[in-house]
Amino acid sequence: QVQLVESGGGLVQAGGSLRLSCAASRRTFSGYVMGWFRQAPGKEREFVAHITWTGGSTYYANSVKGRFTISRDNAKNTVYLQMNTLKPEDTAVYYCAAVSPGRSEYDYWGQGTQVTVSS
């Protein structure tokens, strides 16, 4: 069982930056692919970025590529999402998620953290 707790959300002006953190409860982070998703009001949840457990491979949605950076610190069981040049359309609840080793779908989710970007 893995519990994921996001933090770092808030209100920021367009063009600003925020860094989200996701802390995992499990003692070992090894093997877990970690991802960030977001859901804006009235919209479907959408993929933002993911990172392999070694951190050697990352993948981003086109809408955030070049502005967001996903990273992880396995010693701290924490994944980060650095968000720069934020836009009002980035406003959403951001969720951290994990794929257990050997699985193909995200099977653990955090409770979400609100990010609001004002114009």
Side-chain angles (χ1 to χ4, degrees):
Q1 190 75 12
V2 177
Q3 289 185 322
L4 304 174
V5 180
E6 302 97 334
S7 61
L11 173 64
V12 64
Q13 288 188 334
S17 298
L18 281 176
R19 188 176 82 155
L20 305 183
S21 299
C22 171
S25 63
R26 189 177 172 87
R27 290 187 63 183
T28 174
F29 221 18
S30 177
Y32 285 79
V33 172
M34 301 298 298
W36 286 96
F37 291 76
R38 66 186 182 185
Q39 187 167 20
K43 294 187 176 181
E44 296 287 319
R45 184 171 60 195
E46 65 174 358
F47 168 81
V48 175
H50 79 214
I51 186 168
T52 56
W53 79 273
T54 62
S57 179
T58 57
Y59 186 78
Y60 299 90
N62 286 336
S63 59
V64 306
K65 199 174 296 182
R67 300 187 298 121
F68 290 11
T69 302
I70 188 171
S71 62
R72 66 192 295 166
D73 184 340
N74 289 340
K76 296 182 179 180
N77 285 0
T78 302
V79 178
Y80 305 97
L81 186 68
Q82 178 67 44
M83 306 186 294
N84 298 328
T85 318
L86 283 160
K87 304 175 182 180
E89 51 264 44
D90 294 318
T91 295
V93 177
Y94 283 71
Y95 298 91
C96 174
V99 181
S100 298
R103 300 290 295 271
S104 59
E105 296 181 351
Y106 287 91
D107 48 354
Y108 294 104
W109 294 84
Q111 84 290 348
T113 185
Q114 176 71 46
V115 171
T116 303
V117 184
S118 64
S119 56

